[in-house]
Amino acid sequence: AAKRAGGARCVGFEPHMESDAAWQLELQNDLRGAIERGELALHYQPKIDVKLGRSSGVEALLRWNHPVHGAIGPTVFIALAERFGLIGHIGNWVINEACRQMADWAVQGLRMRVAVNLSVHQLRESDLAERIGSALQAHGVEAAQLLCEITESVAMEDIRATQHTLDGLARIGVFLSIDDFGTGHSTLNYLRQLPAKQLKIDRSFVSDLEHSAETRAVVGAVVNLAHALGLCVVAEGVETQGQRDILQAAGCDEFQGFFFARPMPAERLLAWLQAGQPPEPRGNP
Ligand code: C2E
Ligand code: MG
Ligand code: MG
Ligand code: MG
């Protein structure tokens, strides 16, 4: 089942779209020139550090402002981009744009840690670490300010092909995060060998927390396991005070979710940070 698109104004994935060949073809054609036409943008969603009580960094989430269909979320077009060989180009744009934004924030006196999402196709490119290194250098950004999120299933999918890239990223000082944890099937042994710093508990667990004692037990165990492996734990998709409280008691290190803030354009993030980062009222984009 597809995930709902992030922002309220994004076109979500609907089952009929997948079978709608004409819609797919139209999007595919439009996507080819989207970067050159300046239609892609990164939105940023804060991660809140539990101990500091404030934002410790942000996750960059890709948006496509389609001239006709409006804002389209990544769950709709990333898979399309992967299928039609466009993900390398798009992925490069994301990395460069994130670095450019970090440099821009630095000029404004803000040292912001940014996480980008990588697709499995990018991990298979043997020169990914070099290219990320050059992007950081070109914008004068420290490697330790960049985090790469890789979904658990991707990290485990093609271990031999990706290990080289992951080690390369770790070597240049870029941090790795295991995204959507709990949806894949990691072996403990591999998890132990991954050069990761962060583990993100998938939203599906967080949304069950308040109603399921089993889920609370699983989340508690995952937090302990992650800490034993030296990983910092982020809970994604935190939408309620109740979830927040349970996660805090379980020992989570960071929260991310609509309860705190939705993904937002860079300018709005600055205002949000300056306003003292109050939790947003529910349903307010
Ligand atoms: P993800 O990396 O797990 O990102 C979290 C998703 O959950 C985002 O959806 C975000 O908007 C949404 N979210 C955050 N907090 C909440 C919450 O409290 N409730 C709910 N219901 N949702 C929440 P988004 O932006 O639609 O992105 C979906 C997925 O697309 C991402 O999942 C990521 O896997 C992928 N993606 C996003 N940007 C990129 C990119 O630049 N490159 C690649 N390869 N994939 C990307
Ligand atoms: Mg992510
Ligand atoms: Mg995630
Ligand atoms: Mg997710």
Side-chain angles (χ1 to χ4, degrees):
K3 288 186 271 182
R4 293 257 305 124
R9 286 146 299 161
C10 278
V11 176
F13 181 91
E14 302 294 340
H16 75 266
M17 290 179 181
E18 192 171 36
S19 56
D20 189 345
W23 159 258
Q24 292 278 308
L25 192 63
E26 185 194 341
L27 282 189
Q28 177 200 331
N29 285 330
D30 292 351
L31 195 53
R32 289 190 194 283
I35 295 182
E36 286 68 25
R37 289 189 302 270
E39 292 167 5
L40 295 187
L42 290 180
H43 282 196
Y44 299 90
Q45 186 180 34
K47 292 176 179 171
I48 314 299
D49 186 295
V50 174
K51 287 204 189 79
L52 299 175
R54 60 175 168 78
S55 173
S56 53
V58 291
E59 176 174 8
L61 294 157
L62 190 56
R63 299 291 180 259
W64 178 15
N65 298 307
H66 190 283
V68 176
H69 303 294
I72 301 180
T75 45
V76 177
F77 66 87
I78 290 287
L80 206 66
E82 287 176 337
R83 199 154 0 118
F84 294 102
L86 300 168
I87 194 69
H89 191 36
I90 291 177
N92 284 340
W93 182 86
V94 168
I95 290 160
N96 272 293
E97 174 61 11
C99 290
R100 189 203 61 75
Q101 187 60 64
M102 281 189 271
D104 196 56
W105 278 325
V107 168
Q108 303 177 60
L110 189 66
R111 188 180 187 279
M112 187 60 93
R113 294 184 66 171
V114 176
V116 295
N117 291 281
L118 298 183
S119 102
V120 66
H121 294 255
Q122 289 174 281
L123 289 178
R124 292 205 184 109
E125 296 164 3
S126 55
D127 62 341
L128 181 72
E130 281 88 340
R131 265 186 294 113
I132 290 182
S134 326
L136 288 164
Q137 211 161 22
H139 291 95
V141 176
E142 274 174 63
Q145 253 180 283
L146 185 70
L147 202 80
C148 286
E149 297 194 3
I150 297 147
T151 62
E152 184 198 9
S153 53
V154 162
M156 305 301 145
E157 186 177 301
D158 193 351
I159 293 173
R160 229 175 261 162
T162 55
Q163 186 78 52
H164 167 79
T165 309
L166 298 183
D167 289 341
L169 287 173
R171 208 173 310 118
I172 66 170
V174 168
F175 289 118
L176 284 182
S177 172
I178 306 168
D179 205 351
D180 302 334
F181 188 80
T183 58
H185 26 259
S186 315
T187 66
L188 260 179
N189 193 41
Y190 183 55
L191 204 55
R192 199 165 57 88
Q193 291 171 39
L194 267 184
K197 291 272 187 241
Q198 184 179 85
L199 180 151
K200 298 181 78 174
I201 297 178
D202 191 60
R203 191 170 81 214
S204 56
F205 293 91
V206 174
S207 62
D208 279 354
L209 276 179
E210 288 167 290
H211 321 288
S212 159
E214 285 83 2
T215 304
R216 287 194 291 278
V218 168
V219 166
V222 167
V223 172
N224 290 337
L225 169 68
H227 284 165
L229 292 169
L231 298 166
C232 148
V233 183
V234 181
E236 64 176 23
V238 182
E239 294 186 347
T240 70
Q241 175 84 52
Q243 291 165 354
R244 196 204 84 114
D245 294 344
I246 294 167
L247 290 161
Q248 184 161 0
C252 272
D253 304 291
E254 294 177 43
F255 304 129
Q256 189 181 347
F258 295 171
F259 180 72
F260 299 94
R262 289 186 181 245
M264 56 188 120
E267 324 77 79
R268 194 128 54 84
L269 180 75
L270 217 55
W272 183 85
L273 290 168
Q274 279 158 2
Q277 319 176 16
E280 291 184 1
R282 290 232 33 208
N284 184 7

